[in-house]
Amino acid sequence: MGDRSPRCRRRLRYDNSIAVAVAVSQSSHNPGGGSTFLALRELRFARRRFTLIGSVVALVAVLVVILSGLSSGLVNDGVSGLQRLPVTAFAFDAGTKLD
């Protein structure tokens, strides 16, 4: 049914009438119970999946950087015309809304 070694045994716990397998660690020097080993084994056997997920995260990060640069550039272009005017003050009509 599973691993019957003395280091790790499986015990069934019932939560809301669903059996959940919980790995219980018997090791006192490794409180993680081998989770690092499982993570490294998963990385080794599922390289393609992790490569795909990593590339998607990298592409999203690049997209955020590009959109951030684009939005700040558009704001600077919109305001630059007003900043270059050789005036000391602006006058607005009485009913003008200010942001």
Side-chain angles (χ1 to χ4, degrees), residues 6-43:
R7 285 189 75 193
C8 183
R9 65 186 161 124
R10 296 188 186 269
R11 175 179 60 189
L12 290 178
R13 184 180 71 204
Y14 292 93
D15 291 336
N16 298 331
S17 72
I18 297 174
V20 179
V22 178
V24 179
S25 174
Q26 297 291 325
S27 175
S28 62
H29 67 282
N30 187 4
S35 59
T36 305
F37 169 73
L38 291 175
L40 291 175
R41 188 178 71 177
E42 188 71 20
L43 280 171

Side-chain angles (χ1 to χ4, degrees), residues 76 78-86 90:
N76 287 337
V79 176
S80 67
L82 293 174
Q83 289 175 342
R84 291 183 188 156
L85 287 176
F90 288 102

Side-chain angles (χ1 to χ4, degrees), residues 14 27 30 37 42 48 55 59 65 69 74-76 81 88-89 92:
Y14 292 93
S27 175
N30 187 4
F37 169 73
E42 188 71 20
R48 192 175 294 166
S55 63
L59 286 174
V65 169
L74 288 174
V75 167
N76 287 337
T88 58
F92 294 101

